[in-house]
Amino acid sequence: MTTLAELVTVSRQKDTINLWLATECPPCVRMTRAGKWTEPRAVDYNNWQATWKERIRFTMSTSGVEPLPGGVPLFLSCTFQYKRKYHAFDLDNLIKASLDLIQGVVFLGADSWVDRIVSDKIVASLTGVSLNIGRL
């Protein structure tokens, strides 16, 4: 059985938080009707977000890593790793899903404070997402 420590790792170096998530990040889905998640893909996305937010929150708490403050310029570096070539999802939707995931957990405040983003999709031996967010 996989432990939470194998699914999420977190560290902090000065003003940067580094995360590794052993999961395939789903692309951002914005399908709502009257403010409710109704489409199956949207429900799955919302459930994935809730599960992984809680995993990150718990890991940060038990590791003693405090979130970055709100209202400060930030950068985000993200790498989406797949065991095979993966061009089914747009990179911008993966980035937005990552921002949705870490907003309010890894950094406080709005994602409009993220002023620089560097991202890529690569083929690697492990499937997962590497996220580094810090103060500019």
Side-chain angles (χ1 to χ4, degrees):
M1 180 173 205
T2 305
T3 66
L4 185 56
E6 294 171 307
L7 294 175
V8 179
T9 59
V10 63
S11 65
R12 184 167 183 160
Q13 298 161 337
K14 295 185 182 178
D15 288 332
T16 301
I17 295 176
N18 308 296
L19 290 167
W20 167 256
L21 310 176
T23 182
E24 189 172 293
C25 182
C28 182
V29 176
R30 296 282 184 235
M31 291 188 227
T32 62
R33 183 174 297 138
K36 298 186 190 263
W37 298 86
T38 56
E39 299 291 327
R41 280 187 16 198
V43 171
D44 290 346
Y45 175 78
N46 194 36
N47 290 339
W48 183 89
Q49 285 277 327
T51 297
W52 282 90
K53 272 184 184 271
E54 188 52 40
R55 288 175 177 173
I56 293 168
R57 187 176 286 114
F58 178 81
T59 303
M60 287 180 62
S61 174
T62 58
S63 300
V65 175
E66 294 289 324
L68 296 169
V72 296
L74 300 168
F75 73 87
L76 173 66
S77 170
C78 41
T79 300
F80 303 94
Q81 295 183 195
Y82 300 97
K83 290 184 182 179
R84 63 195 185 291
K85 290 191 178 185
Y86 210 84
H87 290 97
F89 302 129
D90 294 343
L91 187 58
D92 61 324
N93 290 331
L94 295 171
I95 294 167
K96 183 59 182 156
S98 297
L99 283 169
D100 287 349
L101 181 64
I102 62 177
Q103 182 179 356
V105 178
V106 178
F107 70 95
L108 306 177
D111 61 9
S112 61
W113 282 94
V114 178
D115 294 333
R116 180 181 304 146
I117 298 174
V118 176
S119 185
D120 55 359
K121 296 186 289 187
I122 63 170
V123 176
S125 59
L126 296 174
T127 296
V129 182
S130 173
L131 300 170
N132 304 297
I133 187 157
R135 293 177 81 154
L136 281 172

